Amino acid sequence: MADREKRIVIAGAGSIGCYVGGCLALGGRRVILLTRPRIEGALRQGGLRVSDLEGRDRLVMPDALAITDDAAVALPQADVILVTVKSGATQEMTALIKVHARPDAVVVSLQNGVDNADRLRAGSGLRTVLAGMVPFNVVQSPDGELPLRVHRASDGKVMIEDGGPAGLLDVAGLLDVEGLAVETHGDMKAVLWGKLLMNLNNALVALSDLPLASELADRRWRLILAGQIDEALRAMKASGIAPARIAGLRPALLPKVLRLPDWLFKLLARRMLAIDPQARSSMWDDLQRGRPTEIGELQGAVLGLAQRRGTPAPLLESVTALVRAAEAARLGSPGLAPEQVVPPDASRSR
């Protein structure tokens, strides 16, 4: 069987999963979307509209989509399983893969956080599991809008682990289609820790209720992000972790760039600001929908390092506490100002 004929299951087809799955289907790949009943209903009724920052706008008709909310139907058919559930659902998906997937299925984690591939590897039997990283933001259309639209609102190549025995399925080649650039990387741990540094901004978007581009354009919010990254870099250094470059920058330079005046930041950080004006973060979407966020896998992962190594992290602690409070309130984004986020003992880090 040629690689392009392999069957790909998107395990957890939300915003990212529907975008990836839609691009793959449009690229002639055989795709099954394993998703929630709400999304399944919308896709069966109106199909899937896939658009991006470069101007592509394509439609997958309902009869061209294979969709189910039943893991026992989807997973046994999979040659490749792309896990796109939120980190909090990794354990549940791991158990489903262990029970239903074929032993020779290749599992790829396309999730936020740094340890989801390890958790999948530990719990899914002897299956091949590859770490992956999705660098871009995807915006989903409001509930009830048909066709369901997923819009890639920023750019970047998906990276997956370069590993496995000779003769292993060329997963990157299978997934690399129009609108979804994919490449391999030899040190995915470094890539995931590097991405986590920028993902520390997800919480600020969620707390501010601002679109990502507007939030990043405001130096007051960038100062908070820079302070969080400083705390993270100290904890990582103390733990012997060397994160990969982010947006072409060495991690140590990132806080300096974020602290630049607005006019200079806009001039020098064009790549970072190449974002659709309405894009927000998945954490913002979680608060709006009253769902648990990934704060434990993002800020929480760094706080774990900081606590074990004894490095101070007051900004990360403050941001985490505010997101936890917003989760508990179930009222959506609290719409905070920057001054409401920074604790007094963190002011020196700005």
Side-chain angles (χ1 to χ4, degrees), residues 220-235:
R220 297 174 302 162
W221 285 108
R222 292 201 310 278
L223 290 176
I224 300 173
L225 177 57
Q228 288 187 101
I229 291 173
D230 277 336
E231 292 175 359
L233 288 173
R234 284 194 293 268

Side-chain angles (χ1 to χ4, degrees), residues 94 116-127 129-131 161:
T94 300
N116 282 302
D118 291 337
R119 292 160 65 192
L120 285 162
R121 198 172 286 120
S124 60
L126 300 177
R127 293 172 180 85
V129 177
L130 304 176
E161 187 174 348

Side-chain angles (χ1 to χ4, degrees), residues 18-35:
C18 281
Y19 180 82
V20 170
C23 286
L24 290 169
L26 288 161
R29 305 303 190 256
R30 303 174 69 195
V31 179
I32 301 173
L33 301 178
L34 175 58
T35 189

